[in-house]
Amino acid sequence: MTSPDRIMPAHVNNLALQIRKDRAEREPAVDRELRQLQHDLKHGLVRGDAQLGGLPIGGVDGKPVPGAYAVNNAIEHVCPLCGADEYQACTNSVSGVERKMPCLPRLKIEAEPNPKYAK
């Protein structure tokens, strides 16, 4: 026979569920989304990124890559999606971290024709 004071696996599971519920209620939504995104990236479960046209591109946060911002002179335009100013890198709307590449709408803005190459 077992004593009622003995800790059983079900007790441990119930405590873990209660702790998880308490944490979820206290954690701000932005922090929860960031934690979930980091988990997804770590395990290769990257969902499409709305800032990148829904493409599942991982690892785009970090030091900006100049060549990516040179496409259509994207660096010279204000980003219509994340609001980055001219000559500023786009930022991740969830974490606020700079992105290696600009948001897709910023890339789609047509560049001014270079008079040097005009006919």
Side-chain angles (χ1 to χ4, degrees):
M1 280 212 176
T2 60
S3 166
D5 296 333
R6 183 174 171 191
I7 296 177
M8 302 296 288
H11 298 136
V12 175
N13 288 343
N14 288 337
L15 286 172
L17 287 172
Q18 184 179 6
I19 290 169
R20 187 174 180 125
K21 284 180 187 177
D22 290 345
R23 178 182 175 194
E25 290 174 1
R26 286 190 312 253
E27 187 176 31
V30 173
D31 291 345
R32 184 172 47 254
E33 288 177 17
L34 179 59
R35 182 174 48 80
Q36 290 171 347
L37 180 62
Q38 289 170 340
H39 176 270
D40 290 349
L41 287 172
K42 178 180 177 184
H43 297 288
L45 305 172
V46 180
R47 292 172 290 188
D49 190 330
Q51 287 181 271
L52 302 174
L55 298 172
I57 301 173
V60 293
D61 292 344
K63 185 178 176 184
V65 177
Y69 286 88
V71 175
N72 285 343
N73 294 326
I75 195 71
E76 296 178 2
H77 304 286
V78 174
C79 182
L81 189 60
C82 72
D85 290 330
E86 296 174 351
Y87 300 100
Q88 297 293 319
C90 287
T91 56
N92 185 322
S93 59
V94 176
S95 65
V97 177
E98 286 186 328
R99 303 209 89 158
K100 292 180 184 178
M101 62 183 283
C103 300
L104 195 58
R106 190 176 189 183
L107 281 173
K108 289 184 175 182
I109 298 173
E110 288 295 322
E112 293 292 323
N114 189 333
K116 179 179 176 182
Y117 300 108
K119 292 182 180 180

